[in-house]
């Protein structure tokens, strides 16, 4: 059973069913789910779910009762009472004999991978997640790449840091992108340059950091001229087959660098027109959201506060619709650090700083920041 936990909305989704929980119900279920198969006493659950509160053991029983009632529609999931001790969450794993026959159909597997690739290309993260949740019903085996990538799409930093299902080398790129969103762009730029120097990433991901991800870091670290210099390499690479989807986002990064440098409006206008033409041909949600951010920042520079706010809010709505959580956080990262350099009206600045901090808090980025820093630093500095 493919189970999705939405921490910001306290929702559990599986088998095409979405169940809304109260915050404490969600926290209790999330703890049991992450430790499924293990039994916990009421006292242990009180310590984990209500650490700074003083409820009684009956509180646990009441919450378990409500969880069982709400989750009763999910037939493969059960919260068992272990007499004399406590509770345990179990999930039924389907046997090979029960699997859909299409699971072993190679043509079906190839078709489903192509569907994932198409949703990925168009930035339809929500579509990818819905497809992943229906894996058992539709009868296909998840492609190894997308079995990891859907956790990145959800901003599931906890899983990316702590899973034992796949090796760290396969998770490193996703962790690096999350790491970039936390803290000073100058320090993150130095770290990415060290990663590139040591060639730690898998080759395709190394190339992506080298020609794409690092561009905005140069700009936000106050070195837009280096971003423009690196763009020469980027444009050479993306002429090659297979890089067509990089063209709109590269053009947007170039526009951001010129905004930072104070390039004249008529030049920015020409760049914006070219990007809009690209997006008509390639209407990718992530790229549309990123462009709207850059255009909103341009209006901030012109002190057109109302138009700027409208564009930035539209950008965040598009990225919310896409379902790519890291891209929405990245949009806020761009906005906040641009505003640090070129302050807008104080109310606007506070609005986007608060949104940025809230988004990171809700996704657990603040809570996991130290662990993330330790894991990546140890990997990069290892002999």
């Amino acid at each position: 059973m493919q189970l999705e936990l939405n921490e910001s909305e306290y929702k559990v989704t599986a088998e095409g069913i979405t169940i809304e929980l109260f915050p404490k119900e969600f926290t209790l279920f999330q703890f049991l789910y992450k430790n499924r198969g293990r039994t916990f006493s009421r006292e242990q659950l009180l310590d984990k779910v209500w650490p700074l509160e003083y409820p009684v053991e009956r509180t646990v029983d009441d919450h378990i009762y409500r969880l069982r009632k709400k989750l009763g529609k999910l037939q493969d999931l059960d919260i068992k009472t272990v007499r004399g001790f406590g509770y345990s969450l179990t999930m039924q794993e389907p046997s090979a004999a029960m699997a859909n026959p299409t699971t072993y159909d190679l043509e079906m597997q190839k078709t489903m991978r192509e569907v994932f690739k198409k949703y990925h290309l168009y930035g339809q993260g929500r579509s990818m997640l819905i497809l992943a949740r229906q894996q058992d019903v539709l009868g296909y085996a998840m492609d190894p790449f997308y079995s990891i990538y859907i956790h990145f799409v959800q901003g599931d930093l906890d899983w990316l840091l702590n899973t034992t299902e796949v090796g760290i080398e396969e998770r490193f790129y996703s962790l690096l992108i999350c790491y970039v969103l936390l803290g000073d762009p100058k320090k993150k730029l130095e770290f990415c340059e060290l990663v590139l120097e040591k060639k730690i990433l898998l080759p395709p991901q190394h190339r992506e950091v080298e020609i794409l991800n690092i561009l905005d870091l140069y700009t936000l670290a106050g070195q837009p001229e280096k971003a423009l210099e690196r763009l020469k390499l980027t444009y050479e690479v993306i002429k090659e087959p297979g890089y067509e989807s990089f063209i709109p986002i590269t053009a947007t990064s170039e526009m951001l660098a010129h905004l930072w440098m104070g390039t004249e409006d008529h030049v920015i206008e020409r760049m914006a027109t070219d990007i809009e033409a690209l997006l008509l041909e390639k209407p990718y949600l992530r790229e549309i959201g990123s462009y709207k951010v850059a255009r909103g920042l341009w209006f901030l520079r012109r002190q057109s506060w109302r138009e700027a706010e409208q564009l930035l809010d539209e950008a965040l709505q598009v990225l919310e619709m896409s379902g790519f959580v890291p891209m929405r956080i990245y949009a806020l990262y761009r906005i906040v650090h641009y505003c640090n350099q070129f302050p807008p009206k104080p109310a606007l600045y506070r609005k986007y700083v608060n949104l940025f901090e809230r988004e990171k808090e809700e996704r657990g980025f603040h809570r996991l920041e130290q662990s993330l820093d330790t894991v990546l630093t140890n990997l990069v500095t290892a002999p």
Side-chain angles (χ1 to χ4, degrees):
M1 180 170 64
Q2 299 294 316
L3 196 69
E4 179 188 355
L5 278 67
N6 186 327
E7 294 186 15
S8 61
E9 298 180 7
Y10 310 115
K11 293 180 179 178
V12 177
T13 302
E15 300 172 345
I17 300 168
T18 297
I19 298 163
E20 296 186 20
L21 302 176
F22 290 119
K24 283 299 182 185
E25 292 172 350
F26 184 89
T27 304
L28 175 59
F29 176 75
Q30 185 179 47
F31 176 76
L32 290 171
Y33 175 68
K34 288 181 178 180
N35 296 278
R36 53 192 178 276
R38 295 175 56 189
T39 302
F40 294 91
S41 68
R42 293 172 178 81
E43 184 178 7
Q44 287 173 319
L45 292 173
L46 286 171
D47 183 56
K48 295 295 183 182
V49 180
W50 292 268
L52 301 177
E53 303 171 48
Y54 302 95
V56 296
E57 290 189 354
R58 181 66 188 174
T59 302
V60 176
D61 296 336
D62 290 342
H63 279 70
I64 292 290
Y65 171 78
R66 291 201 297 270
L67 276 178
R68 282 174 172 158
K69 192 171 182 179
K70 291 183 178 182
L71 299 171
K73 298 176 183 177
L74 306 181
Q75 297 180 0
D76 295 333
L77 184 150
D78 186 26
I79 301 176
K80 295 184 178 296
T81 300
V82 180
R83 190 174 297 277
F85 190 71
Y87 299 102
S88 175
L89 175 68
T90 61
M91 290 178 63
Q92 180 180 340
E93 301 293 339
S95 67
M98 295 168 60
N100 285 331
T102 51
T103 304
Y104 307 102
D105 186 311
L106 295 180
E107 185 178 350
M108 179 68 167
Q109 307 317 310
K110 181 180 178 181
T111 298
M112 295 307 295
R113 176 172 173 80
E114 291 303 313
V115 173
F116 268 102
K117 285 173 66 176
K118 190 65 74 172
Y119 282 146
H120 185 180
L121 177 66
Y122 278 91
Q124 293 179 227
R126 290 186 186 277
S127 302
M128 294 170 65
L129 295 175
I130 290 171
L131 198 60
R133 289 199 294 264
Q134 299 299 319
Q135 181 182 349
D136 293 338
V137 175
L138 297 175
Y140 73 93
M142 180 77 76
D143 179 88
F145 170 80
Y146 285 109
S147 66
I148 300 170
Y149 192 70
I150 58 170
H151 290 281
F152 174 72
V153 168
Q154 298 173 85
D156 189 357
L157 183 55
D158 199 341
W159 186 92
L160 291 167
L161 265 175
N162 300 310
T163 186
T164 57
E165 296 175 29
V166 293
I168 188 64
E169 67 280 356
E170 297 172 271
R171 294 177 277 130
F172 187 87
Y173 176 73
S174 295
L175 290 170
L176 179 64
I177 298 303
C178 294
Y179 182 68
V180 163
L181 303 175
L182 301 169
D184 183 356
K186 293 179 181 178
K187 292 182 179 178
K188 303 307 178 183
L189 173 61
E190 291 173 3
F191 189 82
C192 284
E193 288 179 325
L194 184 60
V195 168
L196 291 174
E197 178 187 330
K198 294 207 167 188
K199 301 186 185 303
I200 298 169
L201 290 159
L202 298 173
Q205 297 166 346
H206 179 99
R207 197 59 157 166
E208 192 158 331
V209 171
E210 181 182 45
I211 68 168
L212 186 62
N213 304 120
I214 206 165
L215 295 175
D216 283 356
L217 279 179
Y218 279 131
T219 297
L220 298 176
Q223 303 174 48
E225 67 286 347
K226 286 193 175 182
L228 296 179
E229 181 64 30
R230 178 60 61 92
L231 272 161
K232 296 175 184 177
L233 169 65
T234 303
Y235 279 120
E236 282 299 314
V237 171
I238 64 178
K239 289 178 184 176
E240 301 171 11
Y243 285 98
E244 296 84 358
S245 63
F246 282 41
I247 296 173
I249 196 67
T250 299
T252 299
S253 291
E254 183 177 10
M255 180 176 169
L256 184 66
H258 279 283
L259 282 172
W260 195 282
M261 292 180 69
T263 300
E264 294 179 357
D265 277 347
H266 70 90
V267 178
I268 302 294
E269 181 68 57
R270 187 170 61 249
M271 297 177 70
T273 300
D274 291 343
I275 295 170
E276 287 170 10
L278 286 170
L279 292 172
L280 280 175
E281 183 183 344
K282 298 177 170 64
Y284 306 148
L285 285 176
R286 289 164 302 176
E287 285 72 9
I288 291 170
S290 294
Y291 166 67
K292 284 183 178 289
V293 168
R295 189 170 179 85
L297 296 178
W298 179 29
F299 276 81
L300 280 184
R301 192 181 80 169
R302 296 160 63 180
Q303 298 187 357
S304 300
W305 310 122
R306 181 180 298 176
E307 293 88 344
E309 184 176 13
Q310 182 178 348
L311 279 164
L312 294 174
D313 288 350
E314 285 178 7
L316 295 174
Q317 288 169 8
V318 169
L319 294 169
E320 175 71 22
M321 182 173 67
S322 80
F324 276 78
V325 170
M327 288 303 297
R328 179 177 162 86
I329 298 177
Y330 187 43
L332 288 163
Y333 179 82
R334 277 174 155 176
I335 295 167
V336 167
H337 287 291
Y338 184 88
C339 291
N340 284 341
Q341 181 68 19
F342 307 103
K345 292 173 64 175
L348 271 183
Y349 179 71
R350 287 195 300 272
K351 172 182 175 176
Y352 293 111
V353 167
N354 290 338
L355 280 173
F356 185 42
E357 294 303 316
R358 187 173 70 196
E359 196 79 27
K360 290 186 292 181
E361 184 68 35
E362 287 180 354
R363 303 299 175 177
F365 278 44
H366 281 318
R367 174 174 54 85
L368 297 167
E369 182 175 0
Q370 187 57 55
S371 298
L372 178 61
D373 183 81
T374 300
V375 167
L376 293 187
T377 301
N378 288 344
L379 281 167
V380 173
T381 58

